[in-house]
Amino acid sequence: MNQVPPFAVVSGAQVHEVLDGHESEVVAAVEAAYRLHGEGQTVNPDSYFLRFPDRPSSRIIALPASVKGEVGVHGMKWISSFPENVAAGIPRASAVLILNDAETGYPFACLESSIISAARTAASAALAADRLSTARGTRPTRVGFIGVGLIARYLHTYLAANGFDFEAIGMHDLSAEHAEGFTGYLRGAEGAGVEITVHDKAEDLIRASDLVVFATVAGEPHVTDPQWFTHNPLVLHVSLRDLSPEIVLDSWNAVDDIEHCMKAGTSPHLAEQRVGHRDFVAGTLYDVLTGRITPPADRPVIFSPFGLGVLDLAVAKYVHDRVADAGELHTVPGFFHEMKRYG
């Protein structure tokens, strides 16, 4: 007979404690989730966007998913993006994630998920950067960040943990204050000996970098000239809407999931609308992991991850299990109350 699991709440402090310093394990969990997804062992419906007519820049997104294998859970991430928060001194994004028992369907945990979301995003990009650069036979040493918020910080952390050793780091952000803050973070994280440059123009940053990371809140393309990429950099297009169709079509492209990426006005979606087909996408990260596709050295290479809910579930389950193993789960007694059918 199935038992109803206890319901636990996992705080952001607990999530941070589990994930901080364990980046390689998080990348391994994300890679395992990608492999399960590629093998058809997941369910990952479209994300659902809650938008507001009076606040067009804000949204709340539901990402339902299910993962088989060792993860073995269902669940959903509920994540908001309110860019106006930044001016008020609080983070743009906030999130919770619900894990559901695979047998009974009962929710058994609610986790603070802005950290999980940032970690899975960074782990996905770092995994892609590692495998794509290895396949190309060159390891980038000059990285440029366009957009330097929390996601950029996590991306830098995960790239460093995944074996990237940079001799130069550039950044470009519309906010001088944010660029100054990211510079301070980098000096503390990298120490002396690494050249750190704040670029006034995105073009200058891109031309100076062999790894370009987009982590903005752009809603439409703002980088439009393919000539900026003639040195064939590796591009982690994490924010998905920065590049014009011309740049996408001029490059070799990999995504995390083709169907998901061809929606919601992403740059690959705009490129598909421009040419009427998807032939410009070589394949997915799973195809890279399994050796089905290999990126060229003589073209720009762009990885555009839509961000799959299955990754959030994999990282959340990893966090939950570590907290449970430490005996530190905060359960809510009596959370499920009406347990007898007829009272």
Side-chain angles (χ1 to χ4, degrees):
M1 181 178 177
N2 290 328
Q3 298 294 315
V4 174
F7 186 79
V9 176
V10 181
S11 70
Q14 290 176 300
V15 173
H16 179 267
E17 183 177 356
V18 169
L19 297 183
D20 188 40
H22 295 89
E23 289 82 9
S24 61
E25 295 175 30
V26 178
V27 171
V30 165
E31 179 177 354
Y34 271 128
R35 290 184 180 275
L36 287 169
H37 186 64
E39 294 162 4
Q41 298 297 304
T42 66
V43 180
N44 202 107
D46 288 345
S47 301
Y48 296 88
F49 288 72
L50 176 62
R51 300 186 184 276
F52 313 97
D54 58 334
R55 302 186 68 163
S57 67
S58 300
R59 62 194 183 190
I60 308 179
I61 312 171
L63 289 82
S66 175
V67 188
K68 293 184 178 180
E70 292 186 2
V71 180
V73 293
H74 317 307
M76 185 180 75
K77 181 175 71 173
W78 179 240
I79 182 166
S80 68
S81 174
F82 280 53
E84 295 86 355
N85 286 349
V86 176
I90 60 175
R92 170 187 62 85
S94 59
V96 294
L97 186 146
I98 300 294
L99 291 176
N100 293 74
D101 180 70
E103 293 300 321
T104 66
Y106 270 79
F108 64 87
C110 176
L111 299 90
E112 195 286 329
S113 198
S114 66
I115 298 171
I116 289 172
S117 188
R120 70 84 151 136
T121 299
S124 165
L127 173 66
D130 176 49
R131 300 307 172 87
L132 289 168
S133 61
T134 298
R136 293 180 98 191
T138 59
R139 198 75 164 173
T141 60
R142 304 178 67 86
V143 62
F145 292 89
I146 297 182
V148 292
L150 179 139
I151 296 297
R153 172 163 62 85
Y154 270 78
L155 282 162
H156 172 264
T157 298
Y158 273 79
L159 287 168
N162 232 40
F164 286 86
D165 187 15
F166 299 114
E167 64 183 37
I169 301 176
M171 72 191 76
H172 171 70
D173 196 281
L174 298 180
S175 167
E177 179 183 357
H178 297 165
E180 182 181 356
F182 193 60
T183 298
Y185 156 74
L186 289 174
R187 295 201 187 283
E190 291 282 351
V194 176
E195 177 187 347
I196 299 174
T197 305
V198 178
H199 294 273
D200 293 332
K201 298 179 180 179
E203 177 183 0
D204 296 340
L205 178 139
I206 292 167
R207 290 185 181 277
S209 306
D210 49 11
L211 173 61
V212 182
V213 180
F214 285 92
T216 74
V217 294
E220 58 186 25
H222 57 97
V223 175
T224 60
D225 190 345
Q227 292 301 309
W228 296 3
F229 298 84
T230 53
H231 58 301
N232 303 321
L234 172 59
V235 179
L236 301 178
H237 189 206
V238 176
S239 38
L240 284 176
R241 295 171 178 83
D242 304 87
L243 302 175
S244 68
E246 291 81 5
I247 293 171
V248 172
L249 295 170
D250 200 48
S251 304
W252 186 92
N253 293 274
V255 300
D256 55 357
D257 184 287
I258 294 174
E259 289 298 326
H260 285 277
C261 275
M262 298 299 177
K263 293 182 175 73
T266 66
S267 295
H269 186 206
L270 297 179
E272 180 191 31
Q273 292 175 323
R274 176 72 58 86
V275 297
H277 60 75
R278 301 175 175 182
D279 297 347
F280 58 89
V281 178
T284 66
L285 181 55
Y286 175 74
D287 295 326
V288 176
L289 295 174
T290 57
R292 194 187 73 80
I293 60 174
T294 302
D298 60 353
R299 293 179 68 192
V301 170
I302 302 175
F303 175 60
S304 299
F306 193 80
L308 302 175
V310 296
L311 306 182
D312 295 288
L313 293 194
V315 176
K317 184 62 161 46
Y318 169 81
V319 170
H320 173 273
D321 291 351
R322 299 293 84 74
V323 175
D325 290 345
E328 296 177 354
L329 278 180
H330 301 306
T331 58
V332 182
F335 187 83
F336 298 109
H337 179 62
E338 285 283 358
M339 300 308 298
K340 294 183 179 181
R341 190 167 190 175
Y342 299 110

